[in-house]
Amino acid sequence: MGLTKQYLRYVASAVFGLIGSQKGNIVFVTLRGEKGRYVAVPACEHVFIWDLRKGEKILILQGLKHEVTCLCPSPDGLHLAVGYEDGSIRIFSLLSGEGNVTFNGHKAAITSLKYDQLGGRLASGSKDTDIIVWDVINESGLYRLKGHKDAITQALFLREKNLLVTSGKDTMVKWWDLDTQHCFKTVVGHRTEVWGLVLVSEEKRLITGASDSELRAWDISYLQEIEDPEEPEPKKIKESSPGIQDSHEAEDGTLEMDETPEDRILTCRKAGSIMREGRDRVVNLAVDKTGRILACHGTDSVLEVFCILSKEEIQKKMDKKMKKAKKKAKLNSCNEEEEDLEVNVKMTLQDEIQRVANIKTSAKIKSFDLIHTPQAELKAVFLLQNNLVELYSLNASTPGPQPVRTNRITIGGHRSDVRTLSFSSDNIAILSAAADSIKIWNRSTLQCIRTMACEYALCSFFVPGDRQVVIGTKTGKLQLYDLASGNLLETIDAHDGALWSLSLSPDQRGFVTGGADKSVKFWDFELVKDENSTQKRLSVKQTRTLQLDEEVLCVSYSPNQKLLAVSLLDCTVKIFYVDTLKFFLSLYGHKLPVICMDISYDGALIATGSADRNVKIWGLDFGDCHKSLFAHDDSVMYLRFVPKSHLFFTAGKDRKIKQWDADKFEHIQTLEGHHQEIWCLAVSPSGDYVVSSSHDKSLRLWERTREPLILEEEKEMQREAEYEESVAKEDQPAVPGETQGDNYFTGKKTIETVKAAERIMEAIELYREETAKLREHKAICKAAGKEVPLPINPILMAYGNISPSAYVLEIFKGIKSSELEESLLVLPFSYVPDILRLFNEFIQQGSDIELLCRCLFFLLRIHFGQITSNQMLVPVIEKLKETTISKVNQVRDVIGFNMAGLDYLKRECEAKSEVMFFADATSHLEEKKRKRKKREKLILTVT
């Protein structure tokens, strides 16, 4: 068999040109012991950590495939929880930048993440309407809370009580008792979606933001649970709680609360409303860690900041009001008693929550975060819609505070989508141009080395020599820039409409432009005398014009400069002779206009990409169509041949870049990574690099490796990837006693859990085979009357000649904690008896008691009916009962002893530190006394 044609694989190299994505939220993170200096922002599938002071990217938390939708730092500042669009959650260490913990439980994008006070639990809300509480330390799910009918918008733990409060787009605010894992109260005082909620005033007040210009405040009163024999059992509450709504609106629109059995934990009554200045919905509502500053914003560029007064400040204000009222009463010579005055003088909600200031940003706000500095200054960081991060400071304690913008990160990206890309001739510099600016990037460091203001750019190229660039704009102008100085050298009115395309001539002496004014113009480079200096500078002059019947969308020279291809709005591509401008060929066949095209290096082929999603490959000799390829699921936006080959790349609105072979008409590989429509791409002159830009504001660099790509293997890998995706979309395994809709397990079936279950099954099969072999070997030895060597299984040898049962234990220990339950859930029951017998053996040995008990209890829970009806397993369960109780008690005793020892050491350390503190204080006092005496002596001697 002959060798197949060998291709080289292109892989993702880097993401740049992006400061922050708009789907997620920005948060302050503690790094290197500094607070308020570093922020974490979502950047497509990654998370970037920016240094606000230097404006530099200092850390990248690498994602896998899906876009980041939510961020939440841990209370200790060491970790960052990241939620993704596919419903997965990863916890990254900010010290190492690695994400070792992954939680899979949600079926849709994560919308809310919140740690409890100690950082041991994490509550996640999703678009799938579920809330899951995760155990971060044990790396497993605790329970799933179902009740909301639409996406979750916020979830908050209470500090003192084991309660959770959540809000959703179903207009509900729900209170959950985490001891019983049930909703015990539903607040229905909102007519529209609840977009955010915060707890303030020592968690005695709840403030919610909805789709109107009103912030609603609710007073919370916590009640002591009274032990009453007549009180309904928790089970009854469980059955009734999802349908109970403990509040309703009266005729006058005020909210009345019913006295229901659920009020045994807390009552929640409406205290009033604060009117915002914005008329649109609340996008984000947040409070700082001190609970004193409340801030919210809508879909505009204004953040409204409020101050929540403390009890002392409120009392002081009340006293002032009373004083004024008494003074007024005396002036009016009223004989009102003090009680009547107190009734008249009431503290309103507007007095308790006061407006501080409005912070106006330079663009629409997508998310923000607040932090208090040690200097009692409020810092607010904003992620804006136009790929920008801004930091403002505000001193809320001063009267009439004015926000000051202290930092902004701008240089790392464009404010709008990049519409054109170009490589320099030496493959080192990349040009990207958008609606307002041109940026030159160093390909190796990905740093922006030059930024120049421009008009709306549509096409560009480096002038031969790489010292100047030419830009074609939406207004039909040609702009010539000098890279060394960053100055605009010249602006020429080239076309009456948009200048859609530029093509540099192969002899590098000029170029051709095509515009919306139905004309193609030819230009030559020339040197003219600069008015400001004695030296000459580069300029361009028009030489010829080709007038056509339709708007020109794209132009391209053939490599020998004999032919010119022009794409028109009538869905055809016309080929003209360059010297005489005579018509040569018409390429027709596309159903929609040809947006992009390119001619191969030898001039033999022309490939055209159209809005009809097809790519057609034509011969330039006769204009015959060699092949029509269905390339993308949406419009083909850009097409470029790889230099010195017949391979070409296409980019589409379906977010994919594809490589094709124009000789064999085969699809070679797909480069996936962008999360929005791709606008353009550029291939480096060497063919080693591809750069692409997208509506997600990111620029991506793809690099050619030395790894050969075999098409059959690529197709096989694609089939495997499709299978893995289909596994995740399959129905979850059914559990006896639970209906399909009431799945309260926290896990989700993924390809990882299926593989883990397969590993367990293979280990049990190996254990069965080796046990049978051992029995046969003993029988053979007995019959022979001498010892016969037993061949060792190579798998067991790889693990260090361990026993088959020990191998099974190693497999269990190798499964991720977050995937353990789901792996056991998909395990067939036929393997369970062997696992139970092995567990009995392992527990007797006293190894990994916690892991084994967790697996054992879960298996007993899901296979309870089959295990209890199996007579063979009764003695096994009896033995497990004895061994488990005794071993767990032993482990508990050891842990208790260790905790007592640690407590003792803690007390010892505290006592020592107190002694040292007092010793330091005493020596400091003695030093002061000594200095005072010395000073007094000096004064006496002077006098």
Side-chain angles (χ1 to χ4, degrees), residues 563-575:
L563 301 173
L564 177 72
V566 182
S567 158
L568 301 174
L569 200 62
D570 63 0
C571 311
T572 63
V573 176
K574 291 193 163 36
I575 314 293

Side-chain angles (χ1 to χ4, degrees), residues 4-39:
T4 57
K5 187 173 179 180
Q6 188 172 309
Y7 305 103
L8 294 176
R9 188 184 296 281
Y10 282 81
V11 295
S13 174
V15 178
F16 64 106
L18 180 65
I19 293 168
S21 296
Q22 296 167 24
K23 273 196 178 176
N25 59 309
I26 188 168
V27 290
F28 277 108
V29 290
T30 306
L31 214 62
R32 300 164 186 169
E34 283 194 65
K35 290 182 181 178
R37 179 174 174 179
Y38 303 101
V39 289

